[in-house]
Amino acid sequence: MSQDRRTLLKTAAVASAVPVVGLPARARAQSTTLKIGVLNDQSGVYREISGPTSTACVRQAIVDSGIAAKGVNVEVVQADHQNKPDVGATIARQWIDRDGVDVIVDVPNSAVALAVNGIVREKNKAYFNSTGGTTELTGGQCSPNTIHWTYDTYMLAKSTGGAMVKTGGDSWFFITADYAFGHDLERNTTKFVQEAGGKVLGSVKHPLQSTDFSSYLLQAQQSRAKVIGLANAGTDTINSVKQAAEFGVTRRGTKIAVLLMFINDVHSLGLNAAQGLVCTESFYWDLNDRTRAFTKRVLPSLGGNYPAMSHAGCYASVLHYLKAVADMGAAAAKASGADAVARMKAMPTDDDCFGQGSIRADGRKLHPAFLFEVKTPAESKGPWDYYKLLQTTSAEDAWRPLSEGGCSLIRT
Amino acid sequence: MIEDILFQLELGLPQVVLGLVNGAFYALLSLGLAVIFGMLNVINFAHGAQFMMGAFVAWMLLAWGGIGYWWALVLSPLIVGAFGIVIEKLLISRLYKLDHLYGLLLTFGLALIIEGVFRNQFGSSGLPYSPPESLGGPPVDLGFMFLPKYRLWVVVASLVVSLATWLVIEKTRLGAYLRAATENAALVQAFGVNVPRMVTLTYAAGVALAAFAGVLAAPIYSVNPQMGSSLIITVFAVVVIGGMGSILGSVLTGFGLGLVEGLAKVFYPEASSTVIFVIMAIVLLARPAGLFGRA
């Protein structure tokens, strides 16, 4: 009994000592540690378009936000989901339950992106998806805890698909990656092609991470379609384009529509194989003074890679989050992911990568979409000088209208 | 009716040709595996990684040394083969007395490490490698399809190398020593043949075959660290169907299954990635030693 009382007294002494020797109450509230988890592909087809470069961009956002000076400590953790939804879901749960992660960022591969979406909502944390493509994130499965930042399949289909139809490509054949993202992209593009009076002659679905596309390309050729739409990504796209060039598919007037391509894919293909392709990104490092300034800051920590729109989205979403944190207080942001996201939606966005923009009620980040053409080797003046701008779709027109998404957050 | 058949033929024939090209890679890779398994009794799971190294060495020779495709076709197998000698001497040679499983685990681990190192160094998007000038240019018109010259060359090169390997093992004195050593190593050694060295060189030769296939693949597929791991599982199925350790079996099955897979891509594309494994299951049930294996 006396033992117990002594322990009790000691505890009371320590507890009362803290406010005296510790920081004043206000500062103490601000010294909360926030934890950001970068969950992406660190070893497979999407490593270059997400991977360690995304983590470096998140770190850059923390530095640029100057949040440390405001007494908020931000930690970054990263993990490899291996493009497997079950692995991604397990990591997300462990991060939140065991490691106290407050925000999950990046998450390429739509299948994994959707798995994580549900978990973050259930645990009331915040989720900024940058590299996933599916419109479901702001549609049927939209969540008050989620912001879909960089691009989606609707925006790609409208920008690239719409431009192709306008220049006479009115019959299509799709080579589609056989999972949520590929199906989504094919469906969205089909809609734009048909609305513009074109028709779809057929499609073939291939497993993720295929090596040989010659058979599919040949089937596409035999369909006599004017445009072969590639509804895949990463090394699958690279191999498709490379083999299309090898078989001389474009030599007889057939066009290749690469529905999703990142600058890292162009780098890997080389300008000889990639020249003349058109693709849509919402960020290009050499677009304007602000994007160049961002690239210059972040480049030393990227190990030779250049930032694509996916990486820029990781940077910009975290930067905006930290602005909201500074505004509402770290403790409040930590307590409720939904509140933090609501605050982010209430504030206009402004960053070096995407300029000024906003976040819609369904979680869709709004900014312009740029249609680029890949330069010829002669036009390219320096390293990673790959794109010329063909067309800009404004932030108002680029995205699926709020009313068409079927997001339940809108009706309430 | 006839028009229908003609249409199917028009659709199928190009796929048969493409299947042969893929079959050429299966044949070369399973040939290397068969040589190594036949002589060393080691299931070389690092074969895919060594195939990938072959492609990367070709890329390095060009990018860093300005050495072109034709030299790479010779140099890359030699360099990767030398790497194979180091691996065999340092690691694999310690496992001959143990169960197959140990060799499998060791080489599987090696494959993961090698791939990891390359991924760390070069990323996963892959690097560009163009076909040589003489095999570039417009595709050849075969009447029913246009085939890139380079793919034609792949089939020819693979056939020649497969045939040469078979001849060396079945028809030469060296091959006779090798085959004798697999039957009774102690006896062959008693005749004055340096068996451990022969085994090392055999492993190196198998690895060199993988690297050769890697160089052949470099201009077609993007040179990336995971290019081997996506092929190797199929190739193992080919080896199992052909009969573990059978040289002729692995070559014939390689081309044959390439064809089957090509046809599946037209008539039922969803099954194209599984058709080989279905055949494997059937063969294992009916002939456990494989089509050309000795029980």
Side-chain angles (χ1 to χ4, degrees), chain A residues 26 91 210 222 266 289 297 325 382 404:
Chain A
R26 206 182 113 72
I91 294 171
S210 293
Q222 282 164 340
V266 175
D289 287 341
R297 282 202 303 281
V325 167
E404 288 177 23

Side-chain angles (χ1 to χ4, degrees), chain A residues 19-86:
Chain A
V20 183
V21 295
L23 298 154
R26 206 182 113 72
R28 198 154 45 95
Q30 283 189 341
S31 72
T32 323
T33 295
L34 291 171
K35 222 170 191 177
I36 299 177
V38 183
L39 179 61
N40 60 25
D41 180 0
Q42 302 263 337
S43 57
V45 278
Y46 302 146
R47 183 183 189 270
E48 301 315 298
I49 59 172
S50 60
T53 304
S54 291
T55 314
C57 287
V58 167
R59 292 218 161 91
Q60 186 67 44
I62 296 168
V63 173
D64 289 359
S65 72
I67 196 88
K70 298 188 180 90
V72 180
N73 185 27
V74 185
E75 280 176 26
V76 180
V77 289
Q78 60 173 343
D80 184 0
H81 65 39
Q82 300 167 36
N83 290 311
K84 293 176 185 147
D86 54 330

Side-chain angles (χ1 to χ4, degrees), chain A residues 360-382:
Chain A
R360 215 162 57 179
D362 61 352
R364 176 72 260 157
K365 163 72 170 48
L366 304 176
H367 45 246
F370 305 106
L371 185 72
F372 295 108
E373 185 180 317
V374 178
K375 288 183 174 177
T376 64
E379 286 169 326
S380 175
K381 295 284 181 288

Side-chain angles (χ1 to χ4, degrees), chain A residues 66-314:
Chain A
I67 196 88
K70 298 188 180 90
V72 180
N73 185 27
V74 185
E75 280 176 26
V76 180
V77 289
Q78 60 173 343
D80 184 0
H81 65 39
Q82 300 167 36
N83 290 311
K84 293 176 185 147
D86 54 330
V87 174
T90 309
I91 294 171
R93 280 185 194 283
Q94 276 182 2
W95 268 359
I96 295 171
D97 291 342
R98 196 190 61 197
D99 305 337
V101 164
D102 303 293
V103 180
I104 294 180
V105 194
D106 205 5
V107 200
N109 189 320
S110 293
V112 189
L114 290 171
V116 172
N117 189 45
I119 294 166
V120 175
R121 181 175 195 172
E122 174 197 321
K123 310 274 183 191
N124 194 19
K125 299 293 172 187
Y127 177 34
F128 314 138
N129 188 295
S130 178
T131 317
T134 178
T135 43
E136 275 292 292
L137 285 172
T138 54
Q141 301 191 39
C142 72
S143 144
N145 300 72
T146 300
I147 295 173
H148 197 191
W149 197 277
T150 310
Y151 75 101
D152 64 27
T153 51
Y154 181 97
M155 162 267 215
L156 296 172
K158 182 165 188 180
S159 174
T160 311
M164 284 305 230
V165 180
K166 244 181 258 168
T167 53
D170 56 2
S171 58
W172 285 59
F173 187 97
F174 287 102
I175 297 178
T176 304
D178 195 6
Y179 74 107
F181 157 77
H183 299 176
D184 226 29
L185 191 49
E186 182 186 328
R187 193 176 53 239
N188 276 316
T189 314
T190 300
K191 192 172 139 265
F192 283 110
V193 170
Q194 285 170 347
E195 273 174 17
K199 56 183 185 293
V200 175
L201 301 177
S203 82
V204 58
K205 296 192 170 48
H206 68 79
L208 184 67
Q209 242 162 313
S210 293
T211 36
D212 185 39
F213 288 87
S214 52
S215 166
Y216 309 125
L217 286 164
L218 227 60
Q219 291 179 47
Q221 232 175 355
Q222 282 164 340
S223 76
R224 309 223 189 285
K226 287 183 192 161
V227 179
I228 300 175
L230 299 179
N232 51 20
T235 45
D236 284 340
T237 304
I238 293 170
N239 273 324
S240 309
V241 171
K242 198 167 172 175
Q243 289 167 27
E246 191 199 349
F247 277 82
V249 167
T250 50
R251 207 164 277 141
R252 273 156 292 161
T254 311
K255 282 186 190 154
I256 306 275
V258 188
L259 294 168
L260 176 56
M261 187 162 69
F262 296 88
I263 191 158
N264 320 81
D265 300 331
V266 175
H267 183 70
S268 170
L269 274 167
L271 287 183
N272 271 326
Q275 58 180 311
L277 291 173
V278 292
C279 64
T280 298
E281 288 211 56
S282 53
F283 163 88
Y284 173 44
W285 71 270
D286 201 13
L287 196 64
N288 56 47
D289 287 341
R290 291 187 77 180
T291 59
R292 280 187 287 271
F294 162 74
T295 306
K296 204 175 159 194
R297 282 202 303 281
V298 77
L299 212 50
S301 53
L302 300 189
N305 204 8
Y306 263 62
M309 63 171 168
S310 45
H311 306 121
C314 292

Side-chain angles (χ1 to χ4, degrees), chain B residues 258-282:
Chain B
L259 280 184
V260 172
E261 201 187 38
L263 289 174
K265 278 180 181 163
V266 201
F267 298 111
Y268 193 51
E270 288 81 356
S272 64
S273 51
T274 42
V275 64
I276 287 184
F277 301 100
V278 173
I279 295 176
M280 180 177 86
I282 296 169

